[in-house]
Amino acid sequence: MRYDVAIVGAGIAGASLAAEIAPHARVLLLEGEDRPGYHATGRSAAFWSESYGGPAIQPLTTASGPMLRPYLEPMGSVHIGRADEAGAIDAFLAEFEGTGVELRRVDPQAMIPGLRPEWTLGVLEPSCEYIDVGGLHGDQLAVAKRGGAELVTGAGVLAARRENGAWKIETRAGSFEADVLVDAAGAWADPVAEMAGVRPLGIRPYRRTIMQLKTDPAPAPGSPMVAHIGGSFYWKPEAGGRVWLSPHDEIETPPCDAQPEDIDVATAIDRFEHVVDWRVEKLEHKWAGLRTFAPDRLPVYGFDPHAPGFFWCAGQGGFGIQTAPAAAKLAAALLHVAPDPVVAGIDPARYAPERFNRG
Ligand SMILES: Cc1cc2nc3c(=O)[nH]c(=O)nc-3n(C[C@H](O)[C@H](O)[C@H](O)COP(=O)(O)OP(=O)(O)OC[C@H]3O[C@@H](n4cnc5c(N)ncnc54)[C@H](O)[C@@H]3O)c2cc1C
């Protein structure tokens, strides 16, 4: 059978796009792993924050909010800084002025028990929420299948070539044919493009580490996420009174099954202990994943201008979950399948592959 659209990668990007277009097209979803969500999607910190990623990501995040509603749970976040970071706090507030994102100055000492005295500056982002990533991803895959999409796992794409207006796709699970090839391969977006004879965009993966801590005291029920305005840590309260902590690391690495490094774990705990006087009782769990960025740190959605039938859905960075529903609608509209008014206010040009000069 010849498919209309073959999507490479069944993480949140590929799954959401498949769910969006399956009722309107014959869709094939090819996943290299046996379990979709094994890579970035299954390793996220699982929050939705309109400020995260800056004002150029925010329209996708904000537009996704209502569609994510069943998977969101209130949390709030406080961005904190020391006196010498007043400029960074001012710049952060200025960046989001006029965007509709609610940000207000607060005294972090009044919000975070045990906060060390030098942390005097704070900005509250009340709209920040938890995301049930597993629920969202599982539902997107189910919706895609109900819509008629075919998911093939263990189907790592090895090569693809364009012949007579169609892609012949060789995978570990056999050969397939489709009119359009969508590259939603996360950290492997550039290598997958190269397998299809398409020039890469310079999309690179960077490792990020997270750990689960048992602390004394445990974060109080209902306490907010805490993020450093200078980008050297964040933590969020989790079920069972636990803390998920990240050193906000961003270490370039080849695409791989990312694993946490001891040095990053130690750095995170050291930073944490310089922020609050809580005792770290136990490191219960640690993991790492890849956040994958285009050179300008914005995602790439659209047909490649030099490769007929090749569509980029890549470079979602650290924001691919919270932007997934709107991004899928945008991509569906750009694929000329199922245009949707939700994306009408979003300028696709800022995410278009044309913005890269590949010589
Ligand atoms: C530690 C961490 C914390 C994060 N926290 C957040 C957060 O709080 N909120 C948020 O919105 N985002 C967060 N992110 C970012 C988010 O996880 C990613 O942006 C998102 O998961 C990217 O989705 P994806 O589908 O593009 O990638 P992936 O989930 O990596 O999916 C790509 C898929 O492509 C498959 N693939 C690759 N090559 C091939 C091939 N040749 N053939 C077939 N299949 C192939 C892979 O196996 C993989 O399953 C975080 C990321 C990390 C690592």
Side-chain angles (χ1 to χ4, degrees):
M1 140 133 138
R2 178 162 161 176
Y3 295 88
D4 297 316
V5 180
I7 302 173
V8 183
I12 195 65
S16 302
L17 179 57
E20 194 61 38
I21 64 176
H24 312 284
R26 283 165 301 177
V27 177
L28 173 66
L29 188 52
L30 295 168
E31 170 53 51
E33 302 288 349
D34 293 334
R35 188 166 64 77
Y38 180 75
H39 290 289
T41 297
R43 304 177 191 210
S44 87
F47 60 81
W48 180 86
S49 160
E50 287 176 290
S51 71
Y52 203 51
I57 298 292
Q58 177 261 321
L60 289 170
T61 306
T62 300
S64 294
M67 294 178 272
L68 287 170
R69 180 49 44 212
Y71 308 97
L72 298 180
E73 205 185 303
M75 174 169 60
S77 71
V78 188
H79 306 264
I80 63 169
R82 290 162 293 218
D84 63 352
E85 292 172 309
I89 295 267
D90 292 346
F92 176 58
L93 290 168
E95 245 190 335
F96 284 95
E97 226 170 74
T99 60
V101 178
E102 187 185 346
L103 295 171
R104 57 174 188 269
R105 288 182 196 270
V106 289
D107 174 7
Q109 295 288 332
M111 301 197 68
I112 307 161
L115 187 66
R116 296 195 184 277
E118 62 270 28
W119 298 91
T120 52
L121 304 176
V123 173
L124 177 66
E125 182 177 345
S127 62
C128 179
E129 303 210 35
Y130 293 92
I131 311 178
D132 170 7
V133 178
L136 170 68
H137 186 224
D139 285 356
Q140 293 302 295
L141 289 170
V143 170
K145 283 189 210 164
R146 275 204 302 278
E150 192 181 337
L151 168 66
V152 187
T153 55
V157 171
L158 304 168
R161 62 183 192 284
R162 188 96 175 144
E163 263 177 37
N164 304 322
W167 288 99
K168 314 271 187 227
I169 309 160
E170 307 301 330
T171 81
R172 291 189 198 285
S175 305
F176 301 90
E177 200 175 323
D179 293 348
V180 171
L181 188 63
V182 174
D183 184 351
W188 289 265
D190 265 4
V192 163
E194 287 177 296
M195 283 174 203
V198 176
R199 288 181 70 180
L201 296 178
I203 294 175
R204 302 259 185 276
Y206 298 84
R207 189 177 67 238
R208 165 120 336 154
T209 309
I210 306 197
M211 61 218 68
Q212 177 168 308
L213 304 177
K214 184 172 189 300
T215 59
D216 180 21
S223 56
M225 178 167 152
V226 177
H228 180 209
I229 196 73
S232 74
F233 61 81
Y234 64 75
W235 79 79
K236 67 195 265 263
E238 273 295 325
R242 299 311 196 255
V243 169
W244 279 13
L245 170 70
S246 172
H248 215 267
D249 47 336
E250 194 164 299
I251 295 147
E252 189 171 346
T253 144
C256 65
D257 183 356
Q259 297 301 321
E261 300 276 337
D262 288 347
I263 181 72
D264 298 319
V265 173
T267 300
I269 293 175
D270 180 59
R271 288 178 185 168
F272 180 75
E273 288 174 339
H274 281 86
V275 184
V276 278
D277 62 9
W278 311 357
R279 202 164 61 81
V280 174
E281 284 196 330
K282 196 170 175 202
L283 168 64
E284 293 186 324
H285 187 40
K286 56 184 173 174
W287 68 96
L290 300 178
R291 300 157 81 249
T292 300
F293 291 93
D296 62 2
R297 296 178 73 90
L298 296 184
V300 192
Y301 299 114
F303 279 106
D304 190 289
H306 309 294
F310 188 91
F311 188 94
W312 292 92
C313 178
Q316 289 84 353
F319 336 104
I321 314 287
Q322 63 178 35
T323 56
K329 287 193 183 294
L330 179 68
L334 294 169
L335 279 163
H336 311 298
V337 186
D340 191 285
V342 167
V343 294
I346 294 176
D347 177 11
R350 66 178 9 165
Y351 310 123
E354 283 85 350
R355 70 189 195 268
F356 299 106
N357 179 1
R358 282 175 284 175

PDB file of all heavy atoms in Angstrom, residues 221-235:
ATOM      1  N   PRO A 221       2.908  20.540  50.349  1.00  0.00           N
ATOM      2  CA  PRO A 221       1.892  20.319  49.306  1.00  0.00           C
ATOM      3  C   PRO A 221       1.496  21.656  48.677  1.00  0.00           C
ATOM      4  O   PRO A 221       1.336  22.647  49.387  1.00  0.00           O
ATOM      5  CB  PRO A 221       0.717  19.702  50.077  1.00  0.00           C
ATOM      6  CG  PRO A 221       1.305  19.177  51.354  1.00  0.00           C
ATOM      7  CD  PRO A 221       2.520  20.014  51.655  1.00  0.00           C
ATOM      8  N   GLY A 222       1.386  21.665  47.377  1.00  0.00           N
ATOM      9  CA  GLY A 222       0.965  22.883  46.676  1.00  0.00           C
ATOM     10  C   GLY A 222       2.092  23.875  46.446  1.00  0.00           C
ATOM     11  O   GLY A 222       1.857  24.980  45.965  1.00  0.00           O
ATOM     12  N   SER A 223       3.325  23.501  46.779  1.00  0.00           N
ATOM     13  CA  SER A 223       4.411  24.467  46.565  1.00  0.00           C
ATOM     14  C   SER A 223       4.770  24.523  45.077  1.00  0.00           C
ATOM     15  O   SER A 223       4.549  23.570  44.329  1.00  0.00           O
ATOM     16  CB  SER A 223       5.627  24.161  47.442  1.00  0.00           C
ATOM     17  OG  SER A 223       6.065  22.859  47.227  1.00  0.00           O
ATOM     18  N   PRO A 224       5.316  25.665  44.643  1.00  0.00           N
ATOM     19  CA  PRO A 224       5.561  25.863  43.205  1.00  0.00           C
ATOM     20  C   PRO A 224       6.857  25.232  42.726  1.00  0.00           C
ATOM     21  O   PRO A 224       7.722  24.869  43.519  1.00  0.00           O
ATOM     22  CB  PRO A 224       5.657  27.382  43.099  1.00  0.00           C
ATOM     23  CG  PRO A 224       6.216  27.809  44.417  1.00  0.00           C
ATOM     24  CD  PRO A 224       5.682  26.843  45.443  1.00  0.00           C
ATOM     25  N   MET A 225       6.980  25.162  41.422  1.00  0.00           N
ATOM     26  CA  MET A 225       8.264  24.876  40.804  1.00  0.00           C
ATOM     27  C   MET A 225       9.186  26.083  41.067  1.00  0.00           C
ATOM     28  O   MET A 225       8.704  27.219  41.170  1.00  0.00           O
ATOM     29  CB  MET A 225       8.038  24.706  39.304  1.00  0.00           C
ATOM     30  CG  MET A 225       9.271  24.445  38.522  1.00  0.00           C
ATOM     31  SD  MET A 225       8.801  23.892  36.858  1.00  0.00           S
ATOM     32  CE  MET A 225      10.229  24.464  35.971  1.00  0.00           C
ATOM     33  N   VAL A 226      10.475  25.832  41.155  1.00  0.00           N
ATOM     34  CA  VAL A 226      11.436  26.911  41.401  1.00  0.00           C
ATOM     35  C   VAL A 226      12.502  26.846  40.310  1.00  0.00           C
ATOM     36  O   VAL A 226      13.085  25.777  40.074  1.00  0.00           O
ATOM     37  CB  VAL A 226      12.090  26.764  42.793  1.00  0.00           C
ATOM     38  CG1 VAL A 226      13.143  27.851  43.002  1.00  0.00           C
ATOM     39  CG2 VAL A 226      11.030  26.823  43.899  1.00  0.00           C
ATOM     40  N   ALA A 227      12.727  27.979  39.649  1.00  0.00           N
ATOM     41  CA  ALA A 227      13.716  28.001  38.560  1.00  0.00           C
ATOM     42  C   ALA A 227      14.641  29.194  38.747  1.00  0.00           C
ATOM     43  O   ALA A 227      14.177  30.295  39.103  1.00  0.00           O
ATOM     44  CB  ALA A 227      13.013  28.097  37.209  1.00  0.00           C
ATOM     45  N   HIS A 228      15.916  28.986  38.511  1.00  0.00           N
ATOM     46  CA  HIS A 228      16.887  30.080  38.608  1.00  0.00           C
ATOM     47  C   HIS A 228      16.788  30.967  37.380  1.00  0.00           C
ATOM     48  O   HIS A 228      16.834  30.475  36.256  1.00  0.00           O
ATOM     49  CB  HIS A 228      18.299  29.482  38.732  1.00  0.00           C
ATOM     50  CG  HIS A 228      19.366  30.521  38.831  1.00  0.00           C
ATOM     51  ND1 HIS A 228      20.636  30.304  38.374  1.00  0.00           N
ATOM     52  CD2 HIS A 228      19.347  31.799  39.324  1.00  0.00           C
ATOM     53  CE1 HIS A 228      21.361  31.402  38.590  1.00  0.00           C
ATOM     54  NE2 HIS A 228      20.602  32.318  39.163  1.00  0.00           N
ATOM     55  N   ILE A 229      16.675  32.261  37.606  1.00  0.00           N
ATOM     56  CA  ILE A 229      16.583  33.197  36.484  1.00  0.00           C
ATOM     57  C   ILE A 229      17.849  33.143  35.624  1.00  0.00           C
ATOM     58  O   ILE A 229      17.821  33.418  34.422  1.00  0.00           O
ATOM     59  CB  ILE A 229      16.314  34.653  36.999  1.00  0.00           C
ATOM     60  CG1 ILE A 229      15.834  35.557  35.871  1.00  0.00           C
ATOM     61  CG2 ILE A 229      17.524  35.254  37.696  1.00  0.00           C
ATOM     62  CD1 ILE A 229      14.432  35.304  35.406  1.00  0.00           C
ATOM     63  N   GLY A 230      18.943  32.733  36.250  1.00  0.00           N
ATOM     64  CA  GLY A 230      20.212  32.616  35.513  1.00  0.00           C
ATOM     65  C   GLY A 230      20.393  31.265  34.839  1.00  0.00           C
ATOM     66  O   GLY A 230      21.436  31.006  34.237  1.00  0.00           O
ATOM     67  N   GLY A 231      19.392  30.381  34.962  1.00  0.00           N
ATOM     68  CA  GLY A 231      19.434  29.113  34.227  1.00  0.00           C
ATOM     69  C   GLY A 231      20.469  28.128  34.725  1.00  0.00           C
ATOM     70  O   GLY A 231      21.129  27.463  33.921  1.00  0.00           O
ATOM     71  N   SER A 232      20.615  27.991  36.064  1.00  0.00           N
ATOM     72  CA  SER A 232      21.577  26.983  36.544  1.00  0.00           C
ATOM     73  C   SER A 232      20.901  25.844  37.319  1.00  0.00           C
ATOM     74  O   SER A 232      21.582  24.912  37.731  1.00  0.00           O
ATOM     75  CB  SER A 232      22.674  27.631  37.394  1.00  0.00           C
ATOM     76  OG  SER A 232      22.176  27.993  38.646  1.00  0.00           O
ATOM     77  N   PHE A 233      19.595  25.921  37.519  1.00  0.00           N
ATOM     78  CA  PHE A 233      18.852  24.809  38.119  1.00  0.00           C
ATOM     79  C   PHE A 233      17.357  25.073  37.999  1.00  0.00           C
ATOM     80  O   PHE A 233      16.933  26.215  37.784  1.00  0.00           O
ATOM     81  CB  PHE A 233      19.191  24.650  39.627  1.00  0.00           C
ATOM     82  CG  PHE A 233      18.834  25.865  40.446  1.00  0.00           C
ATOM     83  CD1 PHE A 233      17.538  26.111  40.890  1.00  0.00           C
ATOM     84  CD2 PHE A 233      19.820  26.810  40.751  1.00  0.00           C
ATOM     85  CE1 PHE A 233      17.222  27.248  41.613  1.00  0.00           C
ATOM     86  CE2 PHE A 233      19.501  27.958  41.481  1.00  0.00           C
ATOM     87  CZ  PHE A 233      18.206  28.163  41.908  1.00  0.00           C
ATOM     88  N   TYR A 234      16.577  24.027  38.085  1.00  0.00           N
ATOM     89  CA  TYR A 234      15.161  24.158  38.432  1.00  0.00           C
ATOM     90  C   TYR A 234      14.757  22.909  39.183  1.00  0.00           C
ATOM     91  O   TYR A 234      15.406  21.875  39.074  1.00  0.00           O
ATOM     92  CB  TYR A 234      14.259  24.395  37.206  1.00  0.00           C
ATOM     93  CG  TYR A 234      14.193  23.296  36.174  1.00  0.00           C
ATOM     94  CD1 TYR A 234      13.476  22.120  36.408  1.00  0.00           C
ATOM     95  CD2 TYR A 234      14.805  23.446  34.931  1.00  0.00           C
ATOM     96  CE1 TYR A 234      13.401  21.126  35.441  1.00  0.00           C
ATOM     97  CE2 TYR A 234      14.737  22.455  33.964  1.00  0.00           C
ATOM     98  CZ  TYR A 234      14.031  21.304  34.234  1.00  0.00           C
ATOM     99  OH  TYR A 234      13.969  20.316  33.282  1.00  0.00           O
ATOM    100  N   TRP A 235      13.730  23.036  40.009  1.00  0.00           N
ATOM    101  CA  TRP A 235      13.151  21.842  40.600  1.00  0.00           C
ATOM    102  C   TRP A 235      11.648  21.992  40.691  1.00  0.00           C
ATOM    103  O   TRP A 235      11.130  23.103  40.683  1.00  0.00           O
ATOM    104  CB  TRP A 235      13.761  21.519  41.964  1.00  0.00           C
ATOM    105  CG  TRP A 235      13.273  22.304  43.135  1.00  0.00           C
ATOM    106  CD1 TRP A 235      12.113  22.120  43.843  1.00  0.00           C
ATOM    107  CD2 TRP A 235      13.947  23.393  43.777  1.00  0.00           C
ATOM    108  NE1 TRP A 235      12.030  23.024  44.874  1.00  0.00           N
ATOM    109  CE2 TRP A 235      13.149  23.809  44.864  1.00  0.00           C
ATOM    110  CE3 TRP A 235      15.163  24.062  43.549  1.00  0.00           C
ATOM    111  CZ2 TRP A 235      13.497  24.856  45.703  1.00  0.00           C
ATOM    112  CZ3 TRP A 235      15.510  25.097  44.404  1.00  0.00           C
ATOM    113  CH2 TRP A 235      14.687  25.487  45.458  1.00  0.00           C
TER     114      TRP A 235
END
